[in-house]
Amino acid sequence: MKVSIIGATGYTGAELIRLLTQHPQVEVEIITSNSFVGKKISDIYPNLTGIIDMKCKELNVEEIAEKTEVAFTALPHGVSMDIVPQLVERGLKVIDLSGDYRYQDLDTYQAWYKEHSSPELLAKGTYGLAEYNSLKIKDSSLVANPGCYPTASLLALMPLVENSLVEKEGIIVDAKSGTTGAGRKLSRGTHFSETEGNFKAYKVANHRHRSEIEEKLSLAQTDDVQLTFTPHLLPAKRGILATIYADLACDKSTEELIHYYHEFYDGANFVRILDNKLPQLKYVVGSNYCDIGVKVDQERNQVIIISAIDNLIKGSAGQAIQNLNLMAGWDETPGLKQIGMYL
Amino acid sequence: MKVSIIGATGYTGAELIRLLTQHPQVEVEIITSNSFVGKKISDIYPNLTGIIDMKCKELNVEEIAEKTEVAFTALPHGVSMDIVPQLVERGLKVIDLSGDYRYQDLDTYQAWYKEHSSPELLAKGTYGLAEYNSLKIKDSSLVANPGCYPTASLLALMPLVENSLVEKEGIIVDAKSGTTGAGRKLSRGTHFSETEGNFKAYKVANHRHRSEIEEKLSLAQTDDVQLTFTPHLLPAKRGILATIYADLACDKSTEELIHYYHEFYDGANFVRILDNKLPQLKYVVGSNYCDIGVKVDQERNQVIIISAIDNLIKGSAGQAIQNLNLMAGWDETPGLKQIGMYL
Amino acid sequence: MKVSIIGATGYTGAELIRLLTQHPQVEVEIITSNSFVGKKISDIYPNLTGIIDMKCKELNVEEIAEKTEVAFTALPHGVSMDIVPQLVERGLKVIDLSGDYRYQDLDTYQAWYKEHSSPELLAKGTYGLAEYNSLKIKDSSLVANPGCYPTASLLALMPLVENSLVEKEGIIVDAKSGTTGAGRKLSRGTHFSETEGNFKAYKVANHRHRSEIEEKLSLAQTDDVQLTFTPHLLPAKRGILATIYADLACDKSTEELIHYYHEFYDGANFVRILDNKLPQLKYVVGSNYCDIGVKVDQERNQVIIISAIDNLIKGSAGQAIQNLNLMAGWDETPGLKQIGMYL
Amino acid sequence: MKVSIIGATGYTGAELIRLLTQHPQVEVEIITSNSFVGKKISDIYPNLTGIIDMKCKELNVEEIAEKTEVAFTALPHGVSMDIVPQLVERGLKVIDLSGDYRYQDLDTYQAWYKEHSSPELLAKGTYGLAEYNSLKIKDSSLVANPGCYPTASLLALMPLVENSLVEKEGIIVDAKSGTTGAGRKLSRGTHFSETEGNFKAYKVANHRHRSEIEEKLSLAQTDDVQLTFTPHLLPAKRGILATIYADLACDKSTEELIHYYHEFYDGANFVRILDNKLPQLKYVVGSNYCDIGVKVDQERNQVIIISAIDNLIKGSAGQAIQNLNLMAGWDETPGLKQIGMYL
């Protein structure tokens, strides 16, 4: 299957290229870039030298529609929505990695992002949380790939929320991310000299991923779920670890809750429920896994859930490929068999 | 003033030496070590070469009592309690950096640590949270230096708890520490190859510092305060940043709460309330400051407090020197004027 | 093909498992460990959870000979030589990752390592520098996998030395390695708190890899080559970058020398000669590539060669698999198609 | 003594402020900045909060001349030379931290930097390598603070070159620097996501610091000294470690050479000759020390010298303060008593 990657030189685009190059059924046919037209991708990411030396093209919707079946749009929020409709219109399947088609509710999107230029597509877009939404994804021609923090948060919370095992208020997601989550763009906050050895919270009580998590949990619970979301920046490149606190709506032990998770994720290829240990970034970085650990504090009637993903893989490019596999009717795993690096 | 450092070769002991060498009124007279008797401290910590080349001695309580006025005990928990009584008995002022004299309640200590061999001294020990307890510290001859996590947590919570501004249940302390908190002892979890780029929670719902924080808050509140405490290990050497969640018991804005903090810490030398930004490790690492930032989420009736310290300075050796200064009747600041490194 | 890994729980063994699990023609049948008999490999390296949950066995040469065709010995230097003869004797093909069979000259081995218990096998062992020795490797039943520093150094120097383009005296290899080169064993020098932000040279003028490099260059040059070798420890997990200085024996430009390299490595799968940039660790870490860059300083009649590898892959487990592929008569690349991580 | 810092918001300027704030005889009176006029320095570097909250001013030479005695110019190369003459003219003592007044030879400067706008001041400027040039510095009103790499290189080489103990050709300086050497300016090469875990050489055979080192060594040797200089970028914030190779012009042992070093640096406050170990970054980072270790390889008739400094302190702001102390006729050490952090 021939695919194109629109916005190929950002970190998400580059990770798509790296992973798709190893996908047995996919050929990357066109890569586009605003800033690097005519430049070889392997000159921008020399790890690709000799493996994929393709040149970046200007965006040409016609050519993309003619030569490729699926387009990955790895564009900034607010830019995607101007391109995606043109692709969908021409019959391409689209996997959009921005926030532009993740919401069901237009107002929420517009409150946290900006005015939407193609709101009619919101209803058409399928939220691409692969483990939760696989049936819909298979039939969809526009998949909105979830945010990185929402992926780690929702995979951890869905089994409890759907089964009404936790109170729908007072959930706290204290999340910590590596710097690649902030992308390729240079900024003071990700300048090595100011980031190594540092740690900070940011956008406290004010990060838009909260609204994405809340919408999806509320839909699952069929009631409003309200949560507190605090992102932090780790002095590390890759990975998100979320420490999640929720009040139990039931009297369950750690073992009982873990049982619910095993059931919920029965047969899932990329979620691992850890029984006797807790997730660490090094278990998942480099892979498409989401690891989940659970601990009940019965004295406080509280459950603490810890989930970990590689933000660029399960939290972005990997999950996008998982969605491609589902949309193509393939097994879920080709192109995604990399094992976590650990070291 | 001549002082001795018992257990000088651990990270806390070494940091005491580094800081005290720059203290204008103090002379380090005796340093002891179990493992390095006869070895120059500057051979173990070559940053000290040419500055302090003193040799480590075996512990000799008589000599210490004879030649020095104050002893810092930088020993493992459970070891301190066998040495401290001998020092106190001989009239030395003691600043103990272990957990052995931090608790008022013997049972709590014994539940989280081990059987206490000198419980009669618990009542005599003053909890050395310098900003909170300075009057008692001045008159004390045995000061129990607070734990690193408790220091960051208590300084952040005390103004709210003492003023009953937050609910006494449901407080969550999600804390992240650098690796020096785990000390000099080699371990798998702090082996560079397994720690760089990694991040994990540990001792979830099971870390003894929770009991220390709870006891001190409960005494301040004159009622039981119950909290959830989750420590995490950062891929960084120094620093603790705690993200703390509490339900408001009142209807206050961010500005109003910040006002309470300013009042509470009026005149404090080493607590900085940040008005228009949030703490980051790089603001405090290398210094004795505790930085505190506050944000109210009125929609959720919740306050998020963020505090940051250098775990080896404000969380340990620096606070011990602050206590020494208080006990000696000096100004609080000599030996502690280092400014955070930032870079 | 069924293989066994003897010494599976060290970093080299674990990397072999990680890579071989993705090898389409290989099945890991037996893994042995001294310290973890009966323990699941995925409990030691939880990145492997759900992928390979095989248990570590005690070493049983008979069982290995019966059930597997090839054995990787990932044992400490000096331990391998007691096991390898038993395997060879029973008709197994062996790829030994220790230093025990790398030398042609027994005295050199014994000068830098220890007394050899199976010196008769030295002649039988083939030095597994895959790009240089592939014909011999194909026919060999005992391949001595090169050291990590020698791999980076020899691949960089061979084209110049074999073609007598550089003086055979005065070569300097200033090499910098990540911490995984020091292995899984805990040590002060790789304790995170003492390694992050640090950098040091070690074993200056006294590292045994010098003798390995010198022997192989001398054999290629058919004359004694003498070099200076200085290893350094980087605050990074993976990768070796060697900066190599040699006096030119000819009057050649950068472009001319690069031409020699391209010729020398014509058709090589895992050596990349960079034409217009210099190697960086992030180009190769995670892959089996050795990247090489060259710069002539004509004023000083000197060539500076920079080579970079992932020490655990091209410098160890990856090259071992490359050797397996050669020995098995396969294409050189299966199991080794991972692309460098870059991020 | 009242001083001004021109260009106070770059890393060098910020480090000057941090250090001078702790200098007992100095008051920072004016700080200027191009980009942050009117902004508090503690809003840019919040580690300074509550310690020095002074605002950045626009550059006003008259005011500086009126209110301060000494000016530190921490400006980019090529910018300094337009400001310094105005300061000198008005009778200020100037310590310039750029490259603009480091050279005796105008052509060399112009070959590596740009056309010089105040070449007449080159002769007036004193090269501020404090240990080597202290007498001249004391009497100078314009001191050119050495580059960071030259400081580490020259302190290591001077004792050997001045005593003609090494050959004047073939010296190789293989230097490794932390990222703060690249300054505050954002760049791809110091973006955290691309720098953590990475390592690279840069400006191979083409870095201008080589010319600075060569000029100073040639003046000392009264003959042309030619060297090879290769800088590398470490995944660490602070510190330079240089590994230096030189051919011996004599038959000396390690101990004999160390003796020369001790003699040469007899009484030096900030150079430490390590007798039985080699320098590491963690011994010096945070301090004004230059540590030097020496090892002779008699077989190769070669000496390997390793030197380490904190690039922002001894390699920049610290040495500038050392120069201030000399110029002011004070002891060399006030403001510079910080001990290396080690951790």
Side-chain angles (χ1 to χ4, degrees):
Chain A
M1 178 182 287
K2 293 187 174 180
V3 307
S4 45
I5 300 170
I6 300 172
T9 56
Y11 285 165
T12 297
E15 190 73 355
L16 276 168
I17 294 173
R18 192 177 71 88
L19 295 174
L20 287 171
T21 302
Q22 299 172 289
H23 193 299
Q25 286 130 290
V26 169
E27 193 179 337
V28 177
E29 181 73 14
I30 295 173
I31 60 177
T32 83
S33 163
N34 256 345
S35 338
F36 296 103
V37 174
K39 196 155 180 186
K40 284 200 276 183
I41 188 70
S42 54
D43 278 335
I44 310 168
Y45 293 98
N47 57 321
L48 302 175
T49 302
I51 301 163
I52 176 163
D53 295 301
M54 183 179 287
K55 282 184 184 163
C56 297
K57 297 187 167 180
E58 228 168 328
L59 175 61
N60 178 331
V61 175
E62 295 308 334
E63 191 196 0
I64 284 171
E66 200 177 301
K67 297 194 179 160
T68 66
E69 279 178 68
V70 177
F72 293 89
T73 43
L75 297 164
H77 311 298
V79 175
S80 248
M81 63 187 175
D82 294 334
I83 313 290
V84 167
Q86 305 176 44
L87 298 166
V88 169
E89 202 169 275
R90 280 163 182 79
L92 276 111
K93 293 192 174 178
V94 176
I95 298 165
D96 180 46
L97 289 92
S98 83
D100 288 358
Y101 300 97
R102 290 180 191 152
Y103 290 79
Q104 285 208 352
D105 188 60
L106 178 62
D107 291 345
T108 311
Y109 175 86
Q110 296 192 149
W112 287 97
Y113 291 78
K114 60 185 282 198
E115 202 184 347
H116 207 298
S117 65
S118 53
E120 68 288 355
L121 278 185
L122 283 191
K124 206 177 153 119
T126 303
Y127 191 65
L129 189 66
E131 279 73 18
Y132 188 66
N133 242 356
S134 61
L135 290 180
K136 282 193 199 150
I137 293 165
K138 282 179 198 195
D139 293 333
S140 185
S141 58
L142 170 55
V143 168
N145 214 51
C148 52
Y149 284 126
T151 298
S153 306
L154 290 170
L155 291 175
L157 280 166
M158 274 299 183
L160 301 181
V161 168
E162 259 219 353
N163 289 304
S164 296
L165 295 165
V166 292
E167 299 293 345
K168 63 184 201 295
E169 289 194 351
I171 298 172
I172 290 172
V173 177
D174 191 283
K176 301 87 176 175
S177 174
T179 57
T180 50
R184 189 176 185 273
K185 199 163 177 288
L186 304 180
S187 77
R188 177 75 30 222
T190 51
H191 193 45
F192 186 88
S193 302
E194 308 209 6
T195 307
E196 196 215 6
N198 193 32
F199 184 69
K200 65 171 179 182
Y202 64 99
K203 295 198 181 154
V204 174
N206 194 29
H207 192 288
R208 51 196 179 191
H209 277 174
R210 186 185 76 193
S211 65
E212 185 182 333
I213 304 168
E214 284 183 340
E215 179 180 276
K216 302 315 169 191
L217 290 180
S218 299
L219 290 166
Q221 168 94 5
T222 60
D223 199 353
D224 267 18
V225 173
Q226 234 193 20
L227 57 83
T228 298
F229 173 66
T230 314
H232 299 75
L233 188 70
L234 286 170
K237 285 186 293 197
R238 280 180 184 244
I240 287 176
L241 189 138
T243 311
I244 303 173
Y245 304 87
D247 294 324
L248 285 170
C250 59
D251 183 23
K252 301 281 181 203
S253 67
T254 299
E255 291 67 32
E256 287 170 306
L257 287 191
I258 285 179
H259 181 74
Y260 275 95
Y261 276 88
H262 276 295
E263 235 172 39
F264 194 90
Y265 289 117
D266 184 37
N269 288 296
F270 296 114
V271 172
R272 295 189 294 203
I273 309 306
L274 305 187
D275 293 331
N276 51 7
K277 54 178 84 74
L278 291 172
Q280 301 190 15
L281 285 191
K282 68 183 168 191
Y283 301 169
V284 297
V285 163
S287 81
N288 195 49
Y289 284 102
C290 176
D291 280 2
I292 298 175
V294 180
K295 184 127 186 204
V296 169
D297 184 339
Q298 277 174 314
E299 223 183 312
R300 276 148 191 72
N301 199 39
Q302 190 181 46
V303 57
I304 302 169
I305 315 119
I306 293 177
S307 65
I309 60 170
D310 183 316
N311 59 304
L312 287 179
I313 305 182
K314 184 61 178 169
S316 177
Q319 184 158 231
I321 293 171
Q322 199 179 344
N323 282 321
L324 171 73
N325 290 341
L326 289 169
M327 292 162 88
W330 303 328
D331 179 78
E332 210 180 23
T333 62
L336 296 173
K337 297 194 171 170
Q338 300 82 1
I339 301 174
M341 298 288 286
Y342 191 85
L343 296 171
Chain B
M1 178 181 290
K2 294 189 174 178
V3 306
S4 46
I5 300 170
I6 299 172
T9 55
Y11 285 167
T12 298
E15 191 72 356
L16 276 168
I17 293 174
R18 193 177 72 89
L19 295 173
L20 287 171
T21 303
Q22 298 172 289
H23 193 301
Q25 286 130 289
V26 169
E27 193 179 337
V28 177
E29 181 73 15
I30 295 173
I31 59 177
T32 82
S33 163
N34 255 346
S35 338
F36 296 103
V37 174
K39 196 154 181 186
K40 284 201 276 184
I41 188 71
S42 54
D43 278 333
I44 309 168
Y45 292 98
N47 58 321
L48 303 174
T49 303
I51 301 161
I52 175 164
D53 295 302
M54 181 180 288
K55 282 187 184 161
C56 299
K57 297 188 169 182
E58 228 167 330
L59 175 62
N60 178 331
V61 175
E62 296 308 335
E63 190 195 0
I64 284 171
E66 199 176 302
K67 297 194 179 161
T68 67
E69 278 179 70
V70 177
F72 293 89
T73 41
L75 296 164
H77 311 299
V79 175
S80 249
M81 61 187 176
D82 294 333
I83 313 291
V84 167
Q86 305 176 43
L87 299 165
V88 170
E89 202 169 274
R90 279 161 183 80
L92 275 112
K93 292 191 176 180
V94 176
I95 299 165
D96 179 46
L97 288 91
S98 83
D100 289 357
Y101 299 96
R102 291 180 190 151
Y103 290 79
Q104 285 208 354
D105 188 61
L106 178 62
D107 291 344
T108 310
Y109 176 84
Q110 296 192 151
W112 287 96
Y113 291 78
K114 60 186 283 199
E115 203 185 348
H116 207 299
S117 65
S118 54
E120 69 288 356
L121 277 185
L122 283 191
K124 204 175 155 125
T126 303
Y127 191 67
L129 189 67
E131 279 72 19
Y132 189 66
N133 241 357
S134 62
L135 290 180
K136 282 195 200 147
I137 292 164
K138 281 179 200 196
D139 292 333
S140 184
S141 60
L142 169 56
V143 168
N145 215 52
C148 52
Y149 284 126
T151 298
S153 306
L154 290 170
L155 290 175
L157 280 166
M158 274 298 185
L160 301 181
V161 168
E162 260 218 353
N163 288 303
S164 298
L165 295 165
V166 292
E167 300 293 346
K168 63 184 201 295
E169 289 193 353
I171 298 172
I172 289 172
V173 177
D174 191 283
K176 299 88 176 175
S177 174
T179 57
T180 50
R184 188 177 186 273
K185 197 161 176 290
L186 304 180
S187 77
R188 176 77 27 221
T190 51
H191 192 45
F192 186 87
S193 301
E194 308 209 7
T195 307
E196 194 216 7
N198 193 31
F199 183 68
K200 65 170 178 183
Y202 63 98
K203 294 197 182 157
V204 173
N206 195 29
H207 192 290
R208 52 198 180 191
H209 277 174
R210 187 185 75 193
S211 64
E212 184 181 335
I213 304 169
E214 284 183 341
E215 179 180 276
K216 302 314 168 190
L217 290 180
S218 298
L219 289 167
Q221 169 94 3
T222 60
D223 199 353
D224 266 17
V225 174
Q226 234 194 19
L227 57 82
T228 298
F229 173 65
T230 313
H232 300 73
L233 187 71
L234 286 169
K237 284 186 292 197
R238 279 179 185 247
I240 287 177
L241 188 137
T243 310
I244 302 173
Y245 304 88
D247 294 324
L248 285 169
C250 60
D251 183 23
K252 301 282 182 202
S253 68
T254 298
E255 292 66 34
E256 288 170 306
L257 287 192
I258 285 179
H259 181 75
Y260 275 95
Y261 276 89
H262 276 295
E263 236 172 38
F264 194 91
Y265 289 117
D266 186 37
N269 288 297
F270 295 114
V271 173
R272 297 188 294 203
I273 309 306
L274 304 187
D275 292 332
N276 52 7
K277 56 178 81 77
L278 291 173
Q280 301 189 16
L281 285 191
K282 69 183 169 191
Y283 301 170
V284 298
V285 163
S287 82
N288 196 48
Y289 284 102
C290 176
D291 280 4
I292 297 174
V294 180
K295 184 125 184 206
V296 169
D297 184 339
Q298 277 175 313
E299 223 183 310
R300 277 147 191 71
N301 199 40
Q302 188 180 48
V303 58
I304 301 169
I305 315 119
I306 293 176
S307 64
I309 60 170
D310 183 317
N311 58 305
L312 288 179
I313 305 183
K314 185 58 176 169
S316 176
Q319 185 158 231
I321 294 170
Q322 198 178 343
N323 283 321
L324 170 73
N325 290 341
L326 289 169
M327 290 162 88
W330 301 329
D331 178 77
E332 207 180 23
T333 63
L336 297 173
K337 297 195 170 168
Q338 300 82 0
I339 301 174
M341 298 288 286
Y342 190 83
L343 296 172
Chain C
M1 178 182 286
K2 293 189 174 178
V3 307
S4 46
I5 300 171
I6 300 172
T9 55
Y11 285 166
T12 298
E15 191 72 354
L16 275 169
I17 294 174
R18 193 177 72 87
L19 295 173
L20 287 172
T21 302
Q22 298 172 288
H23 193 301
Q25 285 130 288
V26 170
E27 193 179 335
V28 177
E29 181 73 14
I30 295 174
I31 59 178
T32 82
S33 163
N34 256 345
S35 339
F36 296 103
V37 174
K39 198 156 180 185
K40 284 200 275 182
I41 188 70
S42 54
D43 278 334
I44 309 169
Y45 292 98
N47 58 321
L48 302 175
T49 303
I51 301 163
I52 175 163
D53 295 302
M54 183 180 288
K55 282 184 184 164
C56 298
K57 297 188 168 181
E58 228 167 329
L59 174 62
N60 178 332
V61 175
E62 297 307 335
E63 190 195 1
I64 285 171
E66 198 177 305
K67 298 194 179 159
T68 66
E69 279 178 68
V70 177
F72 293 90
T73 42
L75 297 164
H77 311 300
V79 175
S80 248
M81 61 186 177
D82 294 333
I83 313 292
V84 167
Q86 306 177 42
L87 298 165
V88 169
E89 202 169 274
R90 281 163 183 77
L92 276 111
K93 294 192 174 179
V94 176
I95 299 165
D96 180 46
L97 289 92
S98 83
D100 289 356
Y101 298 97
R102 290 181 190 152
Y103 290 79
Q104 286 207 353
D105 188 60
L106 178 62
D107 291 346
T108 311
Y109 176 85
Q110 295 192 151
W112 287 97
Y113 291 77
K114 59 185 284 197
E115 202 184 350
H116 206 298
S117 65
S118 53
E120 68 288 356
L121 277 184
L122 283 191
K124 204 178 155 123
T126 303
Y127 190 66
L129 190 66
E131 279 73 19
Y132 189 66
N133 241 359
S134 62
L135 290 181
K136 281 195 201 150
I137 293 165
K138 281 180 199 196
D139 292 332
S140 184
S141 59
L142 169 56
V143 169
N145 214 51
C148 51
Y149 283 126
T151 298
S153 306
L154 291 170
L155 291 175
L157 281 166
M158 274 299 183
L160 302 181
V161 168
E162 261 220 350
N163 289 303
S164 297
L165 296 164
V166 292
E167 300 292 347
K168 62 184 201 292
E169 288 194 352
I171 297 172
I172 289 172
V173 177
D174 191 283
K176 301 87 176 174
S177 173
T179 57
T180 49
R184 187 175 186 272
K185 198 162 178 287
L186 304 180
S187 77
R188 176 78 27 223
T190 51
H191 192 45
F192 186 87
S193 301
E194 308 209 8
T195 307
E196 195 216 7
N198 193 31
F199 184 68
K200 64 170 179 181
Y202 64 99
K203 294 198 181 156
V204 173
N206 194 29
H207 192 288
R208 51 196 180 191
H209 277 174
R210 187 185 75 195
S211 64
E212 184 181 334
I213 305 169
E214 284 183 340
E215 178 180 278
K216 302 313 168 191
L217 290 180
S218 299
L219 290 166
Q221 169 93 3
T222 59
D223 198 353
D224 266 19
V225 174
Q226 233 192 23
L227 57 82
T228 298
F229 174 66
T230 314
H232 299 75
L233 188 71
L234 286 169
K237 284 185 292 197
R238 280 182 184 245
I240 287 177
L241 190 137
T243 311
I244 302 173
Y245 304 88
D247 293 325
L248 285 169
C250 60
D251 183 23
K252 301 283 182 201
S253 68
T254 298
E255 292 65 34
E256 287 171 304
L257 287 192
I258 284 180
H259 181 74
Y260 276 94
Y261 276 89
H262 277 294
E263 236 172 39
F264 194 91
Y265 289 117
D266 185 38
N269 288 296
F270 295 115
V271 173
R272 296 188 295 202
I273 309 307
L274 305 186
D275 292 332
N276 52 8
K277 55 178 83 75
L278 290 173
Q280 301 190 14
L281 285 192
K282 69 183 167 190
Y283 302 169
V284 297
V285 163
S287 82
N288 195 49
Y289 285 101
C290 175
D291 280 4
I292 298 174
V294 180
K295 185 127 185 204
V296 169
D297 185 339
Q298 278 175 313
E299 225 183 309
R300 277 148 190 73
N301 199 39
Q302 189 180 47
V303 58
I304 302 169
I305 314 121
I306 293 176
S307 65
I309 60 169
D310 183 316
N311 58 304
L312 287 179
I313 304 182
K314 185 61 177 166
S316 177
Q319 185 159 229
I321 293 170
Q322 198 178 345
N323 282 322
L324 170 72
N325 291 341
L326 289 169
M327 291 162 88
W330 302 327
D331 179 77
E332 209 181 24
T333 62
L336 296 173
K337 298 196 169 166
Q338 299 80 2
I339 301 174
M341 297 289 285
Y342 190 85
L343 297 171
Chain D
M1 178 183 288
K2 294 188 173 179
V3 306
S4 45
I5 299 170
I6 300 172
T9 55
Y11 285 166
T12 298
E15 190 73 354
L16 275 168
I17 293 174
R18 192 177 72 88
L19 295 174
L20 287 171
T21 303
Q22 299 172 287
H23 193 301
Q25 285 129 290
V26 170
E27 193 179 337
V28 177
E29 181 74 14
I30 295 173
I31 60 178
T32 83
S33 162
N34 255 346
S35 338
F36 296 103
V37 174
K39 196 154 181 183
K40 285 200 275 185
I41 187 70
S42 54
D43 279 334
I44 309 168
Y45 293 99
N47 57 322
L48 303 174
T49 303
I51 301 163
I52 175 163
D53 295 302
M54 182 180 288
K55 282 184 184 163
C56 298
K57 296 187 168 181
E58 228 167 329
L59 174 62
N60 179 331
V61 175
E62 296 307 335
E63 191 195 0
I64 284 170
E66 199 177 302
K67 298 194 178 159
T68 66
E69 277 179 72
V70 177
F72 293 90
T73 42
L75 297 164
H77 311 299
V79 175
S80 247
M81 62 186 176
D82 294 334
I83 312 292
V84 167
Q86 305 176 44
L87 299 165
V88 170
E89 203 168 89
R90 279 162 183 80
L92 275 110
K93 294 193 174 177
V94 176
I95 298 164
D96 180 45
L97 289 91
S98 84
D100 289 357
Y101 300 96
R102 290 180 191 154
Y103 290 78
Q104 285 208 354
D105 187 61
L106 178 61
D107 291 344
T108 310
Y109 175 85
Q110 296 192 152
W112 287 97
Y113 291 79
K114 60 185 285 200
E115 203 185 348
H116 207 298
S117 65
S118 54
E120 68 287 356
L121 277 185
L122 284 191
K124 205 177 155 129
T126 303
Y127 191 66
L129 189 66
E131 280 72 19
Y132 188 67
N133 240 356
S134 62
L135 290 180
K136 282 195 199 148
I137 293 164
K138 282 180 197 193
D139 291 333
S140 184
S141 59
L142 170 56
V143 168
N145 215 53
C148 51
Y149 284 126
T151 298
S153 306
L154 290 169
L155 291 174
L157 280 166
M158 275 298 185
L160 301 181
V161 168
E162 260 218 353
N163 288 304
S164 298
L165 295 165
V166 291
E167 300 292 347
K168 64 184 200 293
E169 289 193 353
I171 297 172
I172 289 172
V173 177
D174 191 283
K176 300 87 176 174
S177 173
T179 57
T180 51
R184 187 176 187 274
K185 199 163 176 287
L186 304 181
S187 77
R188 176 77 28 222
T190 51
H191 192 44
F192 185 87
S193 301
E194 308 208 9
T195 307
E196 194 216 7
N198 193 31
F199 184 68
K200 65 171 178 181
Y202 63 99
K203 294 195 183 159
V204 173
N206 194 29
H207 192 289
R208 51 198 180 191
H209 277 175
R210 186 186 77 193
S211 65
E212 185 181 333
I213 304 169
E214 285 183 339
E215 180 181 274
K216 301 315 168 192
L217 290 180
S218 299
L219 290 166
Q221 169 93 1
T222 60
D223 198 353
D224 266 19
V225 173
Q226 234 193 19
L227 57 82
T228 297
F229 173 66
T230 314
H232 300 74
L233 188 71
L234 286 169
K237 284 186 293 196
R238 280 179 184 246
I240 287 176
L241 188 136
T243 310
I244 303 173
Y245 304 88
D247 294 324
L248 285 170
C250 60
D251 183 23
K252 301 281 182 204
S253 68
T254 298
E255 292 65 33
E256 286 170 307
L257 287 193
I258 285 179
H259 181 74
Y260 275 94
Y261 276 89
H262 276 295
E263 234 172 39
F264 194 92
Y265 288 117
D266 185 38
N269 288 296
F270 295 114
V271 173
R272 297 188 293 204
I273 309 305
L274 305 187
D275 292 332
N276 51 8
K277 55 177 81 78
L278 291 172
Q280 301 190 15
L281 286 192
K282 69 184 169 191
Y283 301 170
V284 297
V285 162
S287 82
N288 196 49
Y289 284 102
C290 176
D291 280 3
I292 298 175
V294 180
K295 184 125 185 207
V296 170
D297 184 340
Q298 278 175 311
E299 222 183 312
R300 277 147 191 71
N301 199 38
Q302 189 181 46
V303 58
I304 301 169
I305 315 119
I306 293 176
S307 65
I309 61 170
D310 183 317
N311 59 304
L312 288 179
I313 305 182
K314 185 60 177 169
S316 177
Q319 185 157 231
I321 293 170
Q322 198 179 344
N323 282 322
L324 171 73
N325 290 341
L326 289 169
M327 292 162 88
W330 302 328
D331 177 78
E332 209 181 23
T333 64
L336 296 173
K337 297 196 171 167
Q338 300 81 2
I339 301 174
M341 298 287 285
Y342 190 84
L343 295 172

